[in-house]
Amino acid sequence: MRPPMLTARALVKRFGTAPALDGVDFHAAPGESVAVTGPSGSGKSTLLHCLAGIMRPDDGEVRLFDERIDSLSERRRSHLRRTRFAFLFQFGQLLPELPAEENVALPLMLDGRSRRDSLEPARAELRRLGLEGKEQRRPGELSGGEAQRVALARALVVRPAVVFADEPTGALDRATGDQVMGVLLDTVAELDAALVVVTHDPRIAARCTRTIEIRDGRLSGAPRTGDGFDGFAGTAPAGPAPDSAGRFGHEPVAEVWR
Ligand code: ADP
Ligand code: MG
């Protein structure tokens, strides 16, 4: 097995008293896709946000390669999110007033590239995802599947080391969801990136290289506090879990782009 690129040890995150994460270990190697499953409210999104540097854990640590990232300043974590990580949420969180190509170019422009140098790779990424001819459309003029592919293009245009996806196909019909997921998995393999994807869909979990299950803020079957990489190897893909159909629209995308 290849050495992990993203690792976390004994993550704890509390909102008020009850911990949302209660000692979770995690690892993902380049080329690996890890499905995160579990019931609604079990801590899946919190895990993703801690791994991605959106949220700081109260305890434990997160490393990208050898660098500890949870303790970095907000400014440096923000830079990391823009340059090494990519995010895909249930709804693409595209900016409605911008054409597709500008939505995709945005992370490059935020990182200081000129508009021209950003639009070129953005258009190439849109072409690669089968959206040639739709570059000038605004999100409201695209179908749900097309909009999600634009969001995918925006996530991938930075050539990220890790892609974080939180129920990326939750709002799509099955065929469109399968297509988006196929492109996501192919690209992650091509980039030799790692994918961490929260999903309730056992068919999606089955397409990932590994599945972990979170229950009450802990890895299913894991002891209370992690003590290394042994005890939490991936489980077989879990069955469908009832989850958060009602929790739309409050993903912390503003924080991601900050
Ligand atoms: P999941 O993604 O598995 O549905 P979450 O990680 O969103 O679960 O939430 C885990 C627990 O933490 C839940 O009890 C949820 O209500 C709580 N929680 C999550 N985010 C916040 C927050 N920003 N403030 C307070 N409580 C939160
Ligand atoms: Mg969630």
Side-chain angles (χ1 to χ4, degrees):
M1 200 176 93
R2 298 169 71 186
M5 161 165 65
L6 181 70
T7 53
R9 280 180 57 84
L11 289 181
V12 174
K13 181 73 188 178
R14 291 182 203 89
F15 300 106
T17 48
L21 290 180
D22 191 11
V24 172
D25 294 328
F26 181 88
H27 61 105
E32 233 188 340
S33 48
V34 182
V36 181
T37 66
S40 182
S42 56
K44 304 181 297 297
S45 295
T46 305
L47 173 62
L48 208 73
H49 299 158
C50 286
L51 291 174
I54 295 170
M55 223 177 237
R56 258 188 169 146
D58 296 317
D59 216 334
E61 60 178 57
V62 183
R63 284 176 194 272
L64 181 66
F65 296 103
D66 290 331
E67 189 184 17
R68 180 130 181 221
I69 61 172
D70 59 284
S71 52
L72 294 175
S73 68
E74 175 54 43
R75 207 177 127 256
R76 299 209 37 216
R77 279 185 293 132
S78 168
H79 182 251
L80 194 70
R81 291 197 296 267
R82 285 202 310 268
T83 54
R84 309 303 310 279
F85 293 162
F87 300 88
L88 192 64
F89 298 104
Q90 184 161 37
F91 294 108
Q93 308 282 353
L94 299 170
L95 298 180
E97 67 276 22
L98 293 185
E101 62 180 20
E102 291 192 30
N103 264 291
V104 176
L106 197 62
L108 298 175
M109 291 197 269
L110 285 175
D111 201 42
R113 278 211 224 181
S114 74
R115 193 184 143 77
R116 222 179 107 223
D117 286 351
S118 303
L119 282 173
E120 201 176 307
R123 288 177 189 139
E125 196 62 35
L126 286 169
R127 263 199 308 281
R128 203 180 68 78
L129 295 181
L131 291 167
E132 190 157 20
K134 315 240 158 123
E135 295 89 346
Q136 298 303 326
R137 300 248 192 118
R138 289 182 171 69
E141 301 161 347
L142 296 166
S143 73
E146 286 168 346
Q148 196 61 326
R149 272 186 285 154
V150 173
L152 188 54
R154 184 178 65 183
L156 299 172
V157 76
V158 300
R159 323 305 280 171
V162 186
V163 179
F164 295 96
D166 200 341
E167 303 186 30
T169 61
L172 303 176
D173 63 68
R174 176 182 274 226
T176 310
D178 283 354
Q179 192 194 29
V180 166
M181 198 58 207
V183 176
L184 179 57
L185 286 167
D186 286 351
T187 312
V188 162
E190 215 172 278
L191 293 174
D192 208 24
L195 171 68
V196 187
V197 55
V198 171
T199 183
H200 312 128
D201 187 339
R203 292 173 322 119
I204 286 180
R207 291 172 77 177
C208 292
T209 51
R210 195 152 55 83
T211 297
I212 62 171
E213 188 184 1
I214 309 279
R215 291 201 172 253
D216 294 333
R218 297 189 205 161
L219 287 171
S220 186
R224 189 181 169 82
T225 324
D227 59 357
F229 293 142
D230 296 325
F232 63 93
T235 58
D243 205 323
S244 57
R247 303 194 61 203
F248 295 156
H250 73 284
E251 303 294 1
V253 82
E255 291 163 60
V256 170
W257 295 107
R258 193 168 61 205

